Amino acid sequence: MSRSRRDIAWIPTFAVLVAFAVPWPLWGVDLTVAGLPVWIWWHVAWLGLCTVLFSLFVRSGAWERGMGRRPESGAGSALGGDRR
Amino acid sequence: MTLGLSLGIVVGYLLFALAVGLVAYRVSETTAEDYYLASRSIGTVVLLFTTFATLLSAFTFFGGPNLAFAAGPEWLIVMGTLDGVLFAVLWYVIGYKQWLIGDRNGYVTLGEMLGDRFGSVGLRALVAGVSLLWLFPYVMLQQMGAGEALVGLTDGVVPYWGGAALVTAFMILYVVLAGMRGVAWTDTVQGLFMLSVVWIAAVWVVSAVGGAGAATGAMLDARPDFGSFGGGIYTPGFIISTAITIAFGVTMFPQINQRFFVANSGETLKRSFVLWPVLVLLLFLPAFMLGAWAVGMPVDVPEGANVLPVVLNEYTPAWFAALVVAGAMAAMMSSSDSMLLSGSSYFTRDVYRPVINADASERREAWVARIGVAVFALLAFVASLFRPGTLIEVGDTAFSGFALLALPVLCALYWDRTTRTGMIAGVLVPQIAYLAVVLSAVVGDVPTLPRTVAGGWDVALGLMVLSALLTVSVSLVTARTADSDASRFAVTGD
């Protein structure tokens, strides 16, 4: 139960990932860092973060649980012994 | 001499792509499932790149840099957000769910899936019809992009219609000869090719102008407003509504949606999902920055030409510029092929067979599909000659049209209480309203209805909300029909 409750946290996480892929806090900022406007760096870093978190989402097994399925074992998922 | 070389490279590359498709065709079986879905046997790399290359169309490749050139590099943020993040989330929410359902019930098209769930041939044909309608401007967009690309590459020696005709001819040839397997394989080759070539181009151009810092400096000297985030056309309303309509629209594109059925395992979808944001960024960053940097370069972009080929012509050798344009045209061709192929399966499976001729032989159906593709591509070619808008405008129209399908489909996927009448109302009413908006701009005698309101908010976004409200409310007041079967969409248990 606690596992699926923790899975709920992915919904706001995805919402934040989508919402702040646009660098809203830097609206109107015109600073240039390392050859590019700083808000472009925000976006680059953010998409990197997305890939990291997406891979966490997949590896934790939340990918299957989100569709009401059991993660297949052996797919690199850290299931632990608490499934039974 | 250089002109001959450039054209030789372009045509040679297109022929090469055709050869890859033919080889793939030779190894394929001749069943419909293989022709359209490559027997659901597509692995991670191929799935990833075939989806990627499908997005890698004239819209991203020429339209994107053009917009960054005209309005600023914020386009990178818009496209990165919608494609890299929002689409990835939808890839899971819509795509994985569809894969699970399709895997159980053997569906090939979206219309087939919905028609079976709601026991309605009408809904099936409606979804297919709506999809084909919006596919038309998007195929046209590829022809416009190719026409403009060759004008830019050859300084106008090859006329606009020539490039558009060339890509149309290859498109038809390709789809008629290959199938999903062929398309998937060339997409992979082209995805990898374009990704490498666009980086080489960026490094080449940037080193020629003295580094990224100097390029950005020159850009800011020419257009100081490009440095700050937002401003000009990039209002919050524009950014949000463009990102939402395009990302949802992309999931309902026949060629993308059909990709949700082709993966060989759930693992394939997972891996693609994880790699997606980075892959998208790798393509968009150099392509769109080149477009934005071009404002600070001493290049002259003729009216109606694409920025990217002009910049490449200026800073890289002619053969390299030709190679990039060839790669882009081939990518557009394979995008169009995927579209035409999916479109033809929508037409034959969801309209022709269930509505027009239920007893057609397989042979006859195959002919109808091929003739349909040729007619569709030729009509789009004729329409592309009128150049009804910029690449971004035409693309956006198509994306929004598809986006209106997404929320009713989401309802059907996740809410058992959805009814057939609810689906039909949720699909049909917003489509009619949006079509009226689009056509009012084309037909001269009626007042043009606004496409955006209150500072860049797209009316299509409002119509998306309407589609969801209609689907839910009409479903609540109507009863489920006897033919509908919510268990068709169940994915748990065995």
Side-chain angles (χ1 to χ4, degrees):
Chain A
M1 202 57 212
S2 69
R3 181 177 288 276
S4 50
R5 197 170 298 159
R6 248 186 297 150
D7 285 347
I8 302 282
W10 282 109
I11 296 173
T13 307
F14 282 170
V16 170
L17 283 181
V18 172
F20 287 95
V22 178
W24 298 113
L26 298 178
W27 190 264
V29 171
D30 63 352
L31 187 68
T32 301
V33 176
L36 286 177
V38 67
W39 43 271
I40 287 186
W41 289 118
W42 166 301
H43 187 68
V44 169
W46 197 266
L47 264 68
L49 177 71
C50 285
T51 277
V52 172
L53 288 178
F54 285 175
S55 108
L56 209 63
F57 172 75
V58 164
R59 275 192 293 154
S60 72
W63 171 279
E64 279 89 2
R65 286 193 299 275
M67 292 290 163
R69 296 169 66 85
R70 276 158 172 265
E72 289 149 35
S73 54
S77 57
L79 270 178
D82 58 325
R83 292 290 298 174
R84 255 171 233 260
Chain B
M1 166 56 205
T2 42
L3 183 67
L5 179 75
S6 303
L7 280 179
I9 290 175
V10 169
V11 174
Y13 191 92
L14 291 175
L15 286 172
F16 166 73
L18 189 64
V20 173
L22 285 179
V23 170
Y25 178 67
R26 292 292 292 262
V27 302
S28 67
E29 301 155 40
T30 48
T31 61
E33 186 141 314
D34 197 79
Y35 185 75
Y36 293 122
L37 298 182
S39 303
R40 300 177 197 272
S41 65
I42 305 264
T44 307
V45 174
V46 177
L47 178 74
L48 190 62
F49 275 100
T50 186
T51 309
F52 182 68
T54 312
L55 295 178
L56 210 164
S57 66
F59 185 77
T60 4
F61 209 74
F62 292 136
N66 290 354
L67 189 63
F69 176 75
E74 284 92 335
W75 188 242
L76 172 67
I77 308 288
V78 178
M79 288 297 285
T81 301
L82 75 90
D83 243 346
V85 194
L86 188 51
F87 176 71
V89 173
L90 294 174
W91 171 280
Y92 173 66
V93 175
I94 296 178
Y96 183 51
K97 179 89 173 185
Q98 267 190 232
W99 181 80
L100 290 169
I101 294 169
D103 195 41
R104 289 189 162 216
N105 302 317
Y107 301 131
V108 171
T109 66
L110 178 69
E112 187 177 7
M113 183 182 88
L114 295 171
D116 189 43
R117 155 74 175 80
F118 293 99
S120 167
V121 173
L123 179 62
R124 180 176 182 172
L126 174 66
V127 169
V130 164
S131 305
L132 289 170
L133 175 71
W134 298 115
L135 202 57
F136 190 81
Y138 208 72
V139 169
M140 191 173 95
L141 173 74
Q142 312 308 319
Q143 294 157 328
M144 290 168 61
E148 291 173 8
L150 278 191
V151 169
L153 183 72
T154 63
D155 278 331
V157 175
V158 174
Y160 166 81
W161 66 265
L166 182 69
V167 90
T168 308
F170 268 94
M171 241 180 228
I172 296 174
L173 206 59
Y174 198 92
V175 176
V176 170
L177 294 179
M180 180 65 99
R181 196 183 291 275
V183 169
W185 277 101
T186 44
D187 278 353
T188 308
V189 173
Q190 276 156 15
L192 285 168
F193 177 79
M194 285 316 296
L195 205 53
S196 341
V197 118
V198 100
W199 274 98
I200 297 171
V203 169
W204 207 318
V205 171
V206 164
S207 59
V209 299
T216 303
M219 172 184 91
L220 293 178
D221 288 343
R223 294 289 298 269
D225 53 315
F226 276 21
S228 71
F229 181 50
I233 65 161
Y234 299 112
T235 60
F238 174 84
I239 294 173
I240 294 171
S241 46
T242 307
I244 292 178
T245 53
I246 298 184
F248 279 85
V250 167
T251 62
M252 291 296 123
F253 255 87
Q255 79 277 18
I256 302 278
N257 196 276
Q258 211 160 39
R259 295 294 192 278
F260 296 150
F261 293 124
V262 305
N264 58 2
S265 75
E267 286 301 308
T268 303
L269 281 165
K270 282 189 204 172
R271 283 192 221 114
S272 307
F273 164 79
V274 170
L275 291 171
W276 192 254
V278 166
L279 193 61
V280 161
L281 188 65
L282 280 175
L283 176 77
F284 289 169
L285 184 68
F288 297 168
M289 282 317 293
L290 276 179
W293 280 328
V295 297
M297 295 171 186
V299 291
D300 183 32
V301 182
E303 180 72 28
N306 290 308
V307 173
L308 211 56
V310 174
V311 170
L312 292 172
N313 261 346
E314 182 72 26
Y315 290 100
T316 65
W319 64 267
F320 183 77
L323 201 61
V324 177
V325 170
M329 280 183 64
M332 280 180 236
M333 188 184 82
S334 84
S335 291
S336 319
D337 292 337
S338 310
M339 288 172 219
L340 291 170
L341 188 65
S342 299
S344 78
S345 72
Y346 276 41
F347 178 70
T348 53
R349 296 180 74 94
D350 298 342
V351 181
Y352 182 73
R353 193 170 272 280
V355 181
I356 300 170
N357 184 355
D359 307 318
S361 63
E362 285 224 353
R363 205 179 136 76
R364 189 180 174 86
E365 189 181 300
W367 272 107
V368 169
R370 288 173 165 86
I371 292 170
V373 163
V375 170
F376 195 86
L378 287 173
L379 287 177
F381 168 64
V382 172
S384 76
L385 297 178
F386 294 98
R387 305 177 84 171
T390 66
L391 298 177
I392 295 287
E393 286 162 358
V394 173
D396 204 24
T397 303
F399 283 123
S400 299
F402 281 110
L404 299 178
L405 281 175
L407 296 181
V409 169
L410 264 173
C411 275
L413 287 174
Y414 287 96
W415 190 44
D416 285 354
R417 186 65 187 79
T418 313
T419 66
R420 185 184 69 191
T421 321
M423 285 299 288
I424 290 177
V427 171
L428 199 58
V429 175
Q431 287 292 340
I432 291 172
Y434 186 61
L435 203 58
V437 172
V438 172
L439 288 181
S440 74
V442 182
V443 180
D445 295 337
V446 294
T448 301
L449 298 167
R451 291 285 284 276
T452 57
V453 289
W457 291 92
D458 194 334
V459 290
L461 192 64
L463 292 174
M464 277 178 77
V465 175
L466 178 70
S467 74
L469 289 177
L470 278 173
T471 309
V472 172
S473 58
V474 174
S475 289
L476 285 174
V477 298
T478 52
R480 274 177 263 199
T481 48
D483 296 335
S484 72
D485 181 4
S487 72
R488 301 297 284 172
F489 280 11
V491 294
T492 49
D494 282 305

